[in-house]
Amino acid sequence: MTRILMVCLGNICRSPLAEGILKSKLPKDKFIIDSAGTAAYHIDSKPDVRSIAVAKKYGIDITDIRGRQFSRNDFNDFDLIFAMDESNYHNILKIAKTEDEKSKVKLILNEMTPNENLSVPDPYYGGNAGFENVYKLLDQSCNNIVSKLNSKTYS
Ligand code: 4NP
């Protein structure tokens, strides 16, 4: 099993979408995909209705996902941890203890545009167009993640 965690701030907009998109592209018997938020604001909440809607538009159902907060256990439970933005990335690294833990953490848009350290814009305070944009960024990044997993490029 390869275990992959998507992380944003609230775990209701970006990371549930990333979870649903990557799940739709990988076989269930070989991959565990989950998501979490660095903040505790939305524990047990459903994804934002706008994330649910854009996922549905592309044939993906994320209604069963419930918000949870990132914890130190996640460094043991996952092989790869993709942060949605630089703030999440630094907050995760702050609680990493070993080099092995740190090496699991990556900025997801570097899968699409390597080394540019771009962030998935937080769509929470915007309209539906922001969610469409997030979907497209994550879909492309997830396609590249799948290619790298298939060619075993991740160390
Ligand atoms: P997310 O978006 O990190 O993509 O889930 C947000 C959701 C909620 C809040 C901020 C960002 N909030 O402040 O409640």
Side-chain angles (χ1 to χ4, degrees), residues 2 13 24 29 36-37 40-41 43 45 48 55 58 60 62 64 70-71 98 114 125 131 133 136 143 146 148 152:
T2 302
C13 297
S24 76
D29 58 333
Y41 312 142
I43 291 172
S45 299
D48 189 284
Y58 292 101
I60 296 172
I62 60 166
D64 286 345
F70 182 83
S71 82
T98 63
Y125 293 104
F131 284 79
N133 180 45
K136 295 208 163 116
N143 283 339
V146 170
K148 277 169 91 171
K152 304 203 183 323

Side-chain angles (χ1 to χ4, degrees), residues 20-59:
I21 292 169
L22 190 60
K23 265 188 186 155
S24 76
K25 298 177 190 290
L26 289 170
K28 284 188 179 45
D29 58 333
K30 293 198 173 68
F31 292 90
I32 291 171
I33 323 282
D34 193 12
S35 62
T38 55
Y41 312 142
H42 298 286
I43 291 172
D44 288 330
S45 299
K46 277 188 170 189
D48 189 284
V49 289
R50 297 162 294 178
S51 282
I52 290 175
V54 76
K56 189 174 175 198
K57 179 177 165 189
Y58 292 101

